[in-house]
Amino acid sequence: MSTPLDWKGYEPVLIPKISGLHQIDIYEKNGGYESLREVLLNKTKWPDAVSVVNEVKEANIRGRGGAGFNAGLKWSFMPPVDGGPRYLACNGDESEPGTFKDRKIFEYNPHLFIEGALIAAYAMSISTVYVYIRGEYRSFIQMMEKAVSDAYAKGYIGKNILGSGFSTEMVVHSGAGAYICGEETSLLESLEGKRGYPRVKPPFPAQRGLWGRPTTINNIETLANVPLVIKNGASWFKTIGAETHPGPVLYGISGHVNRPGVYELPSGMPILTLIQDVAGGMRNGKRIKAVIPGGSSTPVLRGDALEGVNMDADSLRQAGSMMGTAGMVIMDEDTDMVEVLWRISKFYHHESCGQCTPCREGTGWLEKILDKIMHGDGETRDLDLLLDVTTQMEGRTICALADAAAWPVRYTISRFREEFEARCRKSVYALA
Amino acid sequence: MEYSFSKDDLAKIDEIKSRYPEVMPATLPVLWLAQDKFGHVNEEVQKLVAETLDLPVSHVHGVAEFYTQYYKKEMGKFVLDVCTCLSCHIGGGYDILKHLEKTLGIKAGGTTNDGLFSLQEVECLGACGYAPMMQINNDVFVNHLTPEKTDQVVEGLRKGKYPEFESIAMPLNPNTSASKETV
Ligand SMILES: Cc1cc2nc3c(=O)[nH]c(=O)nc-3n(C[C@H](O)[C@H](O)[C@H](O)COP(=O)(O)O)c2cc1C
Ligand code: SF4
């Protein structure tokens, strides 16, 4: 952890600097679909599907959709083949505020993702792959539809792929505006053509997913790493970035920096390096007040507590936050934290699906109380009330949206308490 | 207005149905197809979709209501969805929304009297690095908005000039290249 990361010489592999790479011919000329070919046809190296699962497990690609779970390990939870259909659902819902990375794969390297999904399909004996993309990404959906149809035309998808005897289909499916559909079981409901109400777990999707059949859900970026692991080996992958959270990461940097954007760099990048050296420093030379490291649900870090904090699960946990989606929101000294928290809470209130009372009511209360504080009508005891509401939400609901809504409130208030108190009138009596 | 699907639409709907093991999953894509054709999916359109797919109207209605991108009533010719969520908020998204409310003379949620523009405040659209931004007609994103750029877009739309998809290249790691743009 103490060895400085050699990031300056890093050459992007998820989205390499090759123009026109989104076109299948150019992708093939640059070694594209070779990993799929190897896995399907080189029986000496890849004797069976399990050997592929094991290599991916060994690489420890930690899910890039937010939870950071080892992808290969997740694949190994699929039950034995029983002759019925099995599904892979690729999560391109990308709706967590601050997150805008998967769209780069759709636009610039769609075939890397498709190849990864196909390798996953082979490894888990999947009969149909569904690519779920948020409806707002219409432009990117069209790009993906084109890429999938080109891959069909070349025989990489469909019946008897490359003469291997393995067959799988791939369907691009558009969402229609609902953040909750990024939650994996809500996504399954949405794919089934229903309202996106998350399911109670267990049963887990590997047991009963789409149409009651075994299903695995993976994020787009997670799957895009797979062909690289197959081509270069798990040991290569593990040399990139942080030891316990290895591999390339698409960092989405937004907010008050000079050069916001998505950057591909090794995992474990120091946050300060990302802000100062990569994203061109703070706009107008302002001070950093706060950083949300991995999408709006991950606890905010204070600008004066960023020294030594790196973008990997361990380092962020020590600092009191999470990696999430690596969608970083950088805020300068002029930012009003009360307003920011109100806006985050408004988002979760809007997006709660309403199935669970603590979430439906709790998110509403959070927004309402913060609105009051923002407008100068709050009292200091309202801060305790907010914290009390979060306690009643966390861990008491069907899905993690309630937690995602509670964490920002809990941590923004505890880490910027003075700013919240300054906006509140002193309470005469404390909350009973 | 009479709502019906053409022969081509029905062929497309059959193709959509073939992508799934059951009929119900066709609900979302067919609602999209209907909205692209009619401009909205009001209750009559929902009924048409339900009849075409042989699904209960209550199901199609429930789905249409759940997802924000389906327009449950007639909208303006141009629907401007202004993002005010986290990164857009701190980047001035509300200023853009207010500016549009002023220039169009409507509040968010409203439609201009001439039926040309509808204005909506929306949640994160996944363009956080290019804030503030808006989406037009559930389609193209217009990024890096300023009041001036917003005016230009609105004027352009009045003249029938629809903004094009804007490809935003990944900035290069500043240390490995002198140039700023790639791909
Ligand atoms: C409320 C909520 C929203 C989520 N949104 C997304 C999303 O937009 N994209 C995504 O990949 N994962 C999202 N997730 C995480 C998924 O449930 C799931 O963990 C992930 O897609 C698994 O893929 P991975 O293991 O490759 O990361 C969300 C989770 C929750 C609780
Ligand atoms: S926690 Fe919230 S979003 Fe999740 S199922 Fe319950 S009500 Fe719906």
Side-chain angles (χ1 to χ4, degrees):
Chain A
M1 196 131 292
S2 52
T3 40
L5 200 65
D6 170 33
W7 62 276
K8 291 187 177 171
Y10 177 80
E11 287 296 329
V13 286
L14 287 171
I15 303 190
K17 290 171 256 170
I18 298 167
S19 70
L21 194 58
H22 63 284
Q23 297 161 43
I24 195 161
D25 297 357
I26 297 185
Y27 182 70
E28 286 175 320
K29 271 196 205 101
N30 287 279
Y33 288 110
E34 277 310 312
S35 297
L36 176 67
R37 194 183 298 275
E38 275 281 299
V39 156
L40 293 180
L41 303 176
N42 185 346
K43 290 293 160 206
T44 338
K45 188 149 181 229
W46 306 103
D48 53 17
V50 177
S51 63
V52 180
V53 175
N54 286 342
E55 189 73 15
V56 174
K57 196 191 320 186
E58 173 63 24
N60 192 14
I61 311 173
R62 300 185 62 169
R64 307 295 198 236
F69 197 79
N70 179 325
L73 187 58
K74 190 190 278 190
W75 296 2
S76 72
F77 297 156
M78 285 290 270
V81 176
D82 62 2
R86 295 152 71 90
Y87 301 103
L88 172 66
C90 309
N91 194 342
D93 194 55
E94 186 140 279
S95 316
E96 170 98 340
T99 311
F100 58 113
K101 59 173 182 82
D102 293 335
R103 56 180 274 181
K104 296 298 173 188
I105 297 173
F106 298 142
E107 182 173 358
Y108 294 114
N109 206 357
H111 290 288
L112 182 68
F113 154 70
I114 294 173
E115 186 175 3
L118 291 169
I119 293 167
Y122 169 73
M124 292 180 280
S125 304
I126 300 295
S127 44
T128 304
V129 178
Y130 288 102
V131 185
Y132 188 101
I133 305 178
R134 64 179 301 180
E136 292 87 344
Y137 278 1
R138 178 169 285 215
S139 307
F140 304 112
I141 291 170
Q142 288 161 354
M143 293 171 194
M144 277 310 298
E145 282 171 343
K146 163 96 172 67
V148 168
S149 99
D150 289 348
Y152 260 106
K154 293 259 186 175
Y156 296 122
I157 317 176
K159 301 260 167 314
N160 190 17
I161 298 170
L162 303 173
S164 65
F166 174 67
S167 305
T168 199
E169 305 295 328
M170 190 178 284
V171 174
V172 177
H173 185 98
S174 168
Y179 160 73
I180 190 58
C181 292
E183 193 282 332
E184 57 186 19
T185 60
S186 167
L187 185 145
L188 300 183
E189 289 288 306
S190 185
L191 263 170
E192 290 184 2
K194 304 174 190 156
R195 295 162 74 94
Y197 287 141
R199 298 176 182 173
V200 179
K201 290 187 272 191
F204 290 94
Q207 267 64 50
R208 288 177 58 189
L210 280 171
W211 303 289
R213 298 290 309 164
T215 303
T216 290
I217 298 104
N218 272 133
N219 171 259
I220 303 295
E221 183 187 346
T222 306
L223 291 167
N225 279 295
V226 170
L228 306 171
V229 167
I230 295 301
K231 183 171 164 214
N232 304 310
S235 50
W236 164 83
F237 192 81
K238 290 201 289 188
T239 61
I240 303 171
E243 211 176 306
T244 56
H245 199 144
V249 168
L250 295 176
Y251 296 95
I253 307 180
S254 68
H256 302 135
V257 291
N258 281 316
R259 299 206 308 137
V262 177
Y263 295 84
E264 182 189 332
L265 285 162
S267 64
M269 287 287 292
I271 291 184
L272 287 173
T273 307
L274 283 167
I275 297 173
Q276 278 147 8
D277 300 331
V278 175
M282 297 298 283
R283 226 183 276 170
N284 304 319
K286 300 256 184 190
R287 274 184 311 116
I288 309 167
K289 179 170 189 173
V291 171
I292 295 175
S296 57
S297 64
T298 58
V300 65
L301 297 169
R302 284 179 68 99
D304 55 19
L306 297 174
E307 201 69 58
V309 183
N310 304 331
M311 288 295 287
D312 63 73
D314 286 345
S315 180
L316 283 164
R317 191 177 47 244
Q318 275 167 28
S321 192
M322 287 178 289
M323 178 84 169
T325 59
M328 306 168 66
V329 184
I330 320 295
M331 292 169 263
D332 72 16
E333 55 193 284
D334 299 334
T335 311
D336 182 332
M337 296 311 289
V338 180
E339 266 190 22
V340 166
L341 184 59
W342 162 77
R343 192 60 190 81
I344 292 174
S345 298
K346 180 176 155 76
F347 169 80
Y348 288 108
H349 179 213
H350 183 261
E351 302 299 336
S352 166
C353 83
Q355 281 192 105
C356 322
T357 310
C359 175
R360 183 184 62 241
E361 302 299 321
T363 53
W365 278 108
L366 296 179
E367 184 194 344
K368 209 181 301 180
I369 301 167
L370 283 160
D371 184 89
K372 186 171 122 181
I373 296 173
M374 186 170 74
H375 287 100
D377 301 323
E379 294 183 36
T380 40
R381 67 172 178 184
D382 287 329
L383 299 177
D384 298 314
L385 179 59
L386 281 169
L387 296 177
D388 190 46
V389 174
T390 61
T391 322
Q392 295 184 43
M393 293 168 67
E394 285 170 67
R396 290 165 196 247
T397 54
I398 294 175
C399 89
L401 185 139
D403 307 84
W407 294 328
V409 173
R410 171 178 302 283
Y411 292 101
T412 311
I413 293 179
S414 65
R415 289 174 188 167
F416 293 90
R417 179 112 194 169
E418 67 294 346
E419 193 171 332
F420 282 82
E421 283 183 354
R423 288 287 267 278
C424 293
R425 274 178 282 121
K426 280 255 171 343
S427 293
V428 187
Y429 27 79
L431 186 73
Chain B
M1 185 172 169
E2 266 301 315
Y3 296 102
S4 63
F5 287 128
S6 68
K7 240 179 95 193
D8 283 356
D9 296 333
L10 292 173
K12 177 79 188 156
I13 289 169
D14 277 339
E15 186 274 312
I16 289 171
K17 287 201 286 195
S18 74
R19 301 174 196 167
Y20 309 95
E22 294 177 1
V23 176
M24 197 173 273
T27 310
L28 272 79
V30 174
L31 278 169
W32 270 123
L33 184 145
Q35 178 154 304
D36 287 345
K37 185 180 171 91
F38 306 119
H40 57 87
V41 290
N42 66 8
E43 294 201 2
E44 280 174 74
V45 178
Q46 292 165 23
K47 216 171 132 228
L48 172 71
V49 169
E51 278 162 9
T52 310
L53 292 176
D54 201 13
L55 289 169
V57 179
S58 59
H59 165 75
V60 176
H61 178 69
V63 170
E65 289 290 333
F66 187 83
Y67 297 92
T68 55
Q69 284 192 286
Y70 295 129
Y71 305 143
K72 273 69 77 177
K73 57 177 198 285
E74 276 185 56
M75 301 291 276
K77 183 170 179 205
F78 302 112
V79 183
L80 310 183
D81 287 343
V82 181
C83 177
T84 61
C85 203
L86 182 54
S87 300
C88 280
H89 166 59
I90 65 169
Y94 277 106
D95 296 337
I96 298 299
L97 185 68
K98 281 193 202 117
H99 181 77
L100 276 165
E101 287 185 331
K102 212 170 105 208
T103 45
L104 297 175
I106 50 173
K107 288 272 164 219
T111 299
T112 54
N113 286 333
D114 59 8
L116 213 49
F117 294 99
S118 293
L119 182 64
Q120 305 194 107
E121 173 185 358
V122 298
E123 296 297 347
C124 185
L125 290 171
C128 313
Y130 323 120
M133 58 77 67
M134 66 176 167
Q135 175 169 34
I136 301 176
N137 289 1
N138 281 327
D139 190 11
V140 286
F141 286 10
V142 190
N143 306 293
H144 300 300
L145 289 175
T146 58
E148 297 73 38
K149 184 167 174 184
T150 309
D151 289 345
Q152 284 164 17
V153 172
V154 168
E155 280 320 301
L157 287 170
R158 282 189 202 284
K159 295 189 190 115
K161 193 171 154 279
Y162 198 72
E164 276 175 24
F165 171 78
E166 189 184 354
S167 176
I168 302 181
M170 308 241 303
L172 271 192
N173 172 340
N175 288 277
T176 52
S177 165
S179 99
K180 262 174 88 165
E181 303 291 317
T182 176
V183 194

